[in-house]
Amino acid sequence: FNNPIENLDAEKSGLNAAQAGGEGKLGAVTSGKAKVGLAFKCKKAGIIKIEAPKFKEASKYNARVITNYQVNVNPGSPSAPKSMAVISKSDINAGETVIWKVFPYDAFDNKITIDDKSALYNTADFTSKRVFKGEGNDLGVFKISDDKQYYFVEAVVTQAGYHTFQAFYKGELI
């Protein structure tokens, strides 16, 4: 009948949001004059299912869910402290190639897959250098792996000795 319900008890309305996989409730329900709201902060990527008003004792009153909504939460921007950098080999012969890989994660430990949707994660934002005998040199532009799981750069190492590899996201050490 489109009559607004004044001062709806939000707790009894059953309005909630839950993340797939049993993450539980994701927020606080509030109510006011002719409106009910649900606020939540998404930290994990995945599907959030929002159930619109229903009453807790639905079966007792033969009530039903009015509407369901789903929100797809994508990973956030890369985080240097949470991302991971690894080298393909720790012991090589002069003239061999090492591959320096960066696996990007967001601030909430969500793995970032580098696809068309994440085009804003520009390879130019990732830089690296190799330090040998106190001298650092840029390793060039990172490329994206064929499986879109990591960024990488290749380096041929010709001088014997201990080499240190570093990776950065927007200037911050990974």
Side-chain angles (χ1 to χ4, degrees):
F1 300 107
N2 287 333
N3 295 313
I5 300 173
E6 300 287 336
N7 300 316
L8 174 69
D9 184 336
E11 176 66 24
K12 291 180 181 173
S13 74
L15 179 66
N16 68 70
Q19 187 159 19
E23 292 287 324
K25 287 190 176 184
L26 295 176
V29 179
T30 58
S31 67
K33 188 169 182 149
K35 65 180 180 179
V36 175
L38 173 70
F40 54 92
K41 181 176 183 179
C42 300
K43 292 184 178 181
K44 292 294 178 188
I47 301 291
I48 304 289
K49 182 179 178 184
I50 300 170
E51 292 183 349
K54 66 179 180 182
F55 293 91
K56 283 190 168 185
E57 298 177 13
S59 60
K60 185 175 178 180
Y61 300 106
N62 209 16
R64 62 182 175 83
V65 173
I66 298 170
T67 310
N68 286 330
Y69 302 93
Q70 284 192 345
V71 177
N72 187 29
V73 180
N74 295 311
S77 296
S79 166
K82 297 288 185 166
S83 294
M84 181 176 52
V86 297
I87 195 94
S88 61
K89 302 175 187 178
S90 61
D91 190 21
I92 64 168
N93 295 318
E96 288 184 339
T97 300
V98 294
I99 301 171
W100 187 224
K101 299 177 183 179
V102 172
F103 295 86
Y105 285 81
D106 71 8
F108 303 104
D109 293 321
N110 293 302
K111 174 86 174 83
I112 298 171
T113 301
I114 311 154
D115 59 16
D116 294 336
K117 293 177 187 170
S118 62
L120 63 123
Y121 311 136
N122 190 339
T123 57
D125 290 338
F126 291 89
T127 57
S128 65
K129 70 177 180 178
R130 177 175 56 99
V131 179
F132 179 67
K133 294 185 179 179
E135 298 286 323
N137 65 329
D138 182 16
L139 292 175
V141 177
F142 274 92
K143 299 174 189 168
I144 298 172
S145 66
D146 290 339
D147 64 3
K148 301 193 184 320
Q149 296 298 309
Y150 58 89
Y151 296 98
F152 73 96
V153 66
E154 298 174 304
V156 177
V157 180
T158 58
Q159 296 174 305
Y162 184 75
H163 298 256
T164 301
F165 290 84
Q166 297 175 320
F168 304 88
Y169 175 68
K170 294 186 174 180
E172 187 176 0
L173 183 65
I174 294 176

